[in-house]
């Protein structure tokens, strides 16, 4: 048998571990279930972290199409990861690192590099033990220093690419005392045509799990409604677990209500008792209630925000949707997000934007939809509609102003048009010789210096901010002097890099080269998003007051004519 020196795996690192697997179909909400459980354990006084396992061969999510896996979420250290890490950061209120995302590409790359370096001393390198030990090592190291680590295994049990991970977890459970490990299996409980909750998919899924050598301790049934008592009993009987270990996770109006739902089901208490932590947890009356207060706060109105992008998929802009929601919690309004296809904007855009109270142009890459985004910026600028441009949206605001205000005909980003006569947006100097696409952009947290007496200063309340970046292009320094005496000012900089722009003569016009949506949390909304929602609410109230005045005027006029 290989030794620890062969695999560099140290099984002595200890914590409590919850392993979350999924069955029947993907997209059931394993991540939200796991994050919600973690939130409740955090409320009970424990330090909680999470690991997301993605069985794909990509080293990270940086080169993946948002249509397939949703947005690419950027961590503080620059890691480009699956959007589930964003949910973990928002629910657990912790900053994660690249080490909290394990991919097949990352694991195999590491083991192969060690083999090439001769670290295995001529031994045959195999899935077991070298790959499985590297997986276990990564989990333990990511968990170090915390009380509980929740590990979500992406995909569905039975997928061939997930087999090494499930084998690693089987070994992991063998190495740990029983009270240190809990397996939770999230599965689909559909309705039949006659309205009966069907357990057969769950039975087959658990059979698949058990054939691998794993026995779920907890089963969470995803269904439109709560599981009926007889459904729970049937699942317990055929899946060989206690009835009290079967929990409902029904559809809810908002994902932030899932912790409240699983708390009502008693999932957190069951987990604490399994781990023997119930005596160490805060008493129920002393646990944090902040989450419940935030997500159930009263709303006094609604604002409508247009999101002008090229992906008609909420997951592609998940952090933006969530950031608007966080700002809505703070202001006390619901935020309705209206997706507006950027590639149709160039032809007809007024009708799609005139009914909203605010406009967001998000980040992105490539030519498609760029002209529509520029049109949306122009509409917001000329019609005093509150506007927020993020990364590419920031760059398109620079292009729009250069074209339509500075008179630089044909101005564009060199990313979109290499032959533009005015490349007001150009590639970063350090990107000139870059050939590989993955992990080579300006990534992660960087500090921006903010000018006093500006909108940006009012929003952040400080002369600096630290936000996460993901870009290859920036404002071209050769054009800085063109903006010197303009109402459009760069109020945030990082050395010779322009980071924040704003329009002094506008109710709310802000662009950021960084992505503020990645650091927004419930109870801690992102300042640019909070400012946008506040401005949009003011816009909505002004329009309502104006409409009421017009109505009164019409009524007075009608009265005069009658008399």
């Amino acid at each position: 048998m290989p030794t620890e020196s062969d695999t560099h795996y140290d099984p002595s690192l200890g914590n409590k571990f919850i392993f979350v697997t999924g069955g029947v179909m993907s997209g059931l909400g394993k991540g939200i279930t796991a994050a919600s459980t973690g939130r409740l354990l955090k409320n009970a006084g424990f330090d909680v972290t999470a690991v997301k396992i993605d069985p794909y061969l990509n080293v990270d999510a940086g080169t993946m199409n948002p249509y397939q896996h949703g947005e690419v979420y950027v961590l503080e250290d620059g890691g480009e990861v699956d959007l589930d890490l964003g949910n973990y950061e928002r629910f657990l209120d912790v900053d994660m690192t690249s080490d909290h995302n394990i991919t097949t590409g990352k694991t195999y790359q590491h083991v192969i590099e060690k083999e090439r370096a001769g670290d295995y001393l001529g031994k045959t390198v195999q899935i077991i033990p070298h790959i499985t030990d590297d997986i276990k090592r990564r989990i333990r190291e990511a968990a170090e220093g915390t009380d509980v680590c929740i590990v979500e295994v992406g995909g569905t049990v039975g997928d061939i690419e997930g087999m090494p991970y499930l084998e690693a977890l089987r070994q992991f459970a063998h190495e740990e005392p029983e009270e240190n490990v809990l397996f939770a299996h999230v599965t689909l409980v559909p309705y039949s045509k006659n309205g009966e909750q069907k357990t057969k998919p769950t039975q087959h899924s658990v059979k698949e799990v058990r054939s691998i050598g794993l026995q779920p301790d907890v089963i969470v049934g995803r269904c439109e409604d709560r599981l009926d008592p007889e459904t729970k009993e049937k699942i317990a009987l055929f899946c060989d677990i206690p009835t009290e270990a079967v929990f409902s996770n029904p559809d809810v109006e908002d994902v932030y209500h899932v912790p409240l739902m699983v708390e009502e089901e008693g999932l957190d208490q069951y987990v604490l008792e399994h781990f023997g932590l119930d005596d160490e947890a805060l008493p129920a009356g002393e646990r944090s209630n902040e989450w419940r207060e935030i997500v159930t706060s009263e709303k006094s109105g609604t604002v409508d925000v247009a999101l002008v992008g090229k992906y008609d998929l909420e997951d592609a802009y998940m952090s933006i949707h969530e950031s608007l929601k966080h700002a809505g919690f703070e202001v006390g309004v619901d935020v309705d997000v209206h997706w507006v296809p950027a590639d149709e904007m160039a032809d007809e855009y007024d009708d799609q934007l005139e009914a909203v109270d605010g406009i967001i142009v998000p980040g992105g890459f490539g030519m498609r939809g760029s002209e529509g985004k520029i049109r949306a910026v122009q509409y917001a600028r000329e019609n005093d509609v509150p506007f927020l441009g993020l990364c590419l949206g920031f760059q398109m605001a620079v292009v729009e102003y250069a074209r339509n205000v500075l008179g630089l005909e044909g101005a564009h980003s060199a990313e979109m048009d290499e032959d533009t006569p005015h490349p007001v947006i150009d590639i970063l100097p350090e990107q000139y010789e870059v050939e590989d696409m993955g992990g080579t952009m300006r990534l992660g947290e960087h500090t921006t210096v903010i000018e006093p007496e500006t909108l940006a200063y009012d929003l952040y309340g400080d002369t600096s901010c630290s936000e996460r970046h993901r870009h290859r292009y920036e404002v071209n320094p050769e054009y800085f002097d063109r903006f010197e005496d303009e109402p459009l000012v760069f109020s945030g900089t990082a050395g010779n890099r322009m980071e924040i722009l704003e329009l002094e003569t506008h109710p709310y016009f802000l662009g950021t080269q960084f992505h503020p949506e990645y650091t927004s949390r419930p109870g801690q909304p992102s300042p640019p998003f909070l400012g946008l929602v506040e401005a949009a609410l003011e816009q909505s109230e002004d329009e309502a007051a104006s409409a009421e005045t017009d109505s009164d005027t019409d009524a007075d006029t009608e009265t005069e004519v009658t008399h």
Side-chain angles (χ1 to χ4, degrees), residues 536-555:
L537 178 60
E538 186 174 341
Q539 177 99 342
S540 176
E541 290 173 343
D542 288 347
E543 289 177 355
S546 176
E548 186 175 342
T549 301
D550 291 343
S551 176
D552 291 342
T553 302
D554 291 343

Side-chain angles (χ1 to χ4, degrees), residues 380-384 401 486-489 502-509:
R381 180 179 60 80
E382 293 179 345
N383 293 277
D384 286 344
Y401 199 86
E486 291 295 324
L488 186 78
V489 298
E502 56 189 70
L503 189 58
E504 294 177 335
T505 55
H506 195 280
Y508 189 90
F509 191 98

